[in-house]
Amino acid sequence: MPRQHTRPLGDTGIQVPLLTFGGNVFGWTVDEKTAFSLLDALVEKGLFFIDTADVYSRWAPGNQGGESETIIGKWLKKSGKRDRIVLATKVGMEMSAEKTGLKPAYIRQAVEDSLRRLQTDTIDLYQAHRDDVDTPLVDTLGAFDALIKAGKVRAIGASNYSAARLQEALAVSQQAGLARYQTLQPEYNLYDREPYESELEPVALQHGLGVINYYSLASGFLSGKYKKPEDAHKSARGQGIVEKYLTPRGKNIVESLEDVAASHDASATQVALAWQIARPSITAPIVSATSLAQLDELVKATQLTLSKQEIEELSRASQP
């Protein structure tokens, strides 16, 4: 994918490709060697926007958090390709009992930890991983503002905020003259369309926020991999995916995806992503891959253009 296939990331002044690569797999389902080959391929194929978090992948047995950032940092040092990627990470999820939330002192500590692991001087997009209702928004935003002024962070974003709290944060930034959240990272896909469409999307459009949504393939369900209860064995998360998504509506969505895919010689995965890319409020859905073959499929999704009728058909099939 040539580099010119990019979009502005809100009002940050940063241009990004049509998909964001989710680094949650590094240090979990992807080892360091494979991660290096994936990162090299991502740059070559034009998918140069990498999103991670300090907490990735703390949930994996034997991990403590920081594994994904550490792998990316080693790759940056070895490859010398820092100037060829847009790098996003997050703060706020629990790393330990003391390391959690969005208090200014912790943000100052956490950003230094992330910069050290990532082996870089600047984070392009630093995101609040979740809201911290126990810390005044003006304090959190003041800490982020100071990081931007210090050159350690280029722009800030919010993940997992409610529409009301996002609006409040944007108002606080304006009133206090502080840097504002320029991006939003919500859950959004063809199955999970609410509350993004009814609550968060209007805020994003009103304020010109870049939107990089996660779970864009509904944990893999939209790939068509899970069509019957017996398919739960296909992955470690399979049982939960089948229980959540294998509903009459879920089956209808997958059937529609496969119908549209057949007319394009494409896959359900590519169509599900193309539907999101076509939505005016969405900047770059987040998606992961664990192999170079999967990466090629993602590149093809960015090259797939759906007709107005196909977009409407998928929207109807997935109506909440």
Side-chain angles (χ1 to χ4, degrees):
M1 186 175 86
R3 194 167 177 120
Q4 65 262 31
H5 287 281
T6 60
R7 289 174 170 172
L9 181 62
D11 295 328
T12 62
I14 300 168
Q15 292 284 323
V16 295
L18 306 186
L19 287 175
T20 309
F21 188 84
N24 61 316
V25 291
F26 297 151
W28 177 29
T29 52
V30 172
D31 62 21
E32 186 175 300
K33 183 183 176 188
T34 308
F36 280 24
S37 66
L38 284 170
L39 286 160
D40 283 331
L42 284 163
V43 172
E44 292 312 309
K45 294 173 188 296
L47 295 179
F48 53 87
F49 187 17
I50 317 296
D51 175 76
T52 187
D54 55 5
V55 76
Y56 297 164
S57 46
R58 186 176 178 232
W59 56 83
N63 284 3
Q64 298 165 2
E67 288 80 13
S68 175
E69 287 184 335
T70 298
I71 286 172
I72 293 168
K74 287 181 181 177
W75 172 78
L76 286 174
K77 185 177 183 184
K78 183 184 177 191
S79 69
K81 292 177 181 173
R82 176 65 185 92
D83 62 343
R84 296 187 64 187
I85 67 162
V86 174
L87 183 57
T89 192
K90 311 182 201 76
V91 58
M93 290 287 191
E94 186 174 312
M95 293 282 280
S96 70
E98 303 80 36
K99 296 182 176 182
T100 186
L102 297 173
K103 287 185 166 46
Y106 177 56
I107 289 174
R108 289 192 291 271
Q109 176 191 351
V111 77
E112 296 300 335
D113 291 343
S114 286
L115 288 167
R116 186 186 69 252
R117 286 189 292 261
L118 291 164
Q119 301 196 45
T120 187
D121 299 325
T122 309
I123 292 162
D124 296 310
L125 178 65
Y126 199 40
Q127 301 156 98
H129 206 156
R130 66 176 173 200
D131 192 6
D132 176 2
V133 295
D134 297 323
T135 302
L137 284 165
V138 70
D139 292 355
T140 294
L141 292 161
F144 283 139
D145 184 80
L147 295 181
I148 292 173
K149 289 191 170 113
K152 293 179 180 181
V153 170
R154 289 177 67 190
I156 57 170
S159 180
N160 299 307
Y161 272 56
S162 69
R165 284 284 285 179
L166 182 59
Q167 280 276 36
E168 190 183 342
L170 293 166
V172 166
S173 291
Q174 188 172 14
Q175 289 155 10
L178 297 170
R180 70 164 193 156
Y181 290 138
Q182 300 277 10
T183 64
L184 171 65
Q185 188 170 142
E187 178 176 3
Y188 184 61
N189 56 62
L190 261 167
Y191 191 101
D192 300 298
R193 293 174 60 179
E194 296 298 332
Y196 175 72
E197 288 185 11
S198 63
E199 298 172 22
L200 286 160
E201 186 174 46
V203 182
L205 289 169
Q206 180 190 348
H207 295 278
L209 304 183
V211 179
I212 51 174
N213 51 298
Y214 66 89
Y215 286 169
S216 55
L217 292 171
S219 301
F221 176 76
L222 298 176
S223 69
K225 185 175 169 180
Y226 307 94
K227 290 182 180 171
K228 50 189 187 298
E230 302 86 81
D231 291 335
H233 77 275
K234 289 185 176 180
S235 76
R237 298 182 297 169
Q239 190 58 44
I241 293 167
V242 163
E243 287 172 6
K244 180 175 179 182
Y245 294 112
L246 196 62
T247 62
R249 179 169 162 259
K251 291 177 183 175
N252 201 27
I253 292 169
V254 170
E255 282 173 18
S256 294
L257 283 169
E258 292 181 337
D259 286 347
V260 173
S263 63
H264 286 276
D265 193 23
S267 68
T269 292
Q270 289 159 5
V271 174
L273 293 172
W275 179 85
Q276 291 168 65
I277 290 168
R279 192 169 187 92
S281 70
I282 298 292
T283 307
I286 300 171
V287 69
S288 296
T290 56
S291 69
L292 294 175
Q294 288 178 352
L295 213 52
D296 287 334
E297 183 167 28
L298 300 185
V299 172
K300 287 175 185 164
T302 67
Q303 299 162 345
L304 177 60
T305 303
L306 303 179
S307 70
K308 187 166 177 270
Q309 288 80 4
E310 287 168 334
I311 290 169
E312 287 170 355
E313 178 189 328
L314 291 164
S315 298
R316 273 194 308 274
S318 62
Q319 202 61 43

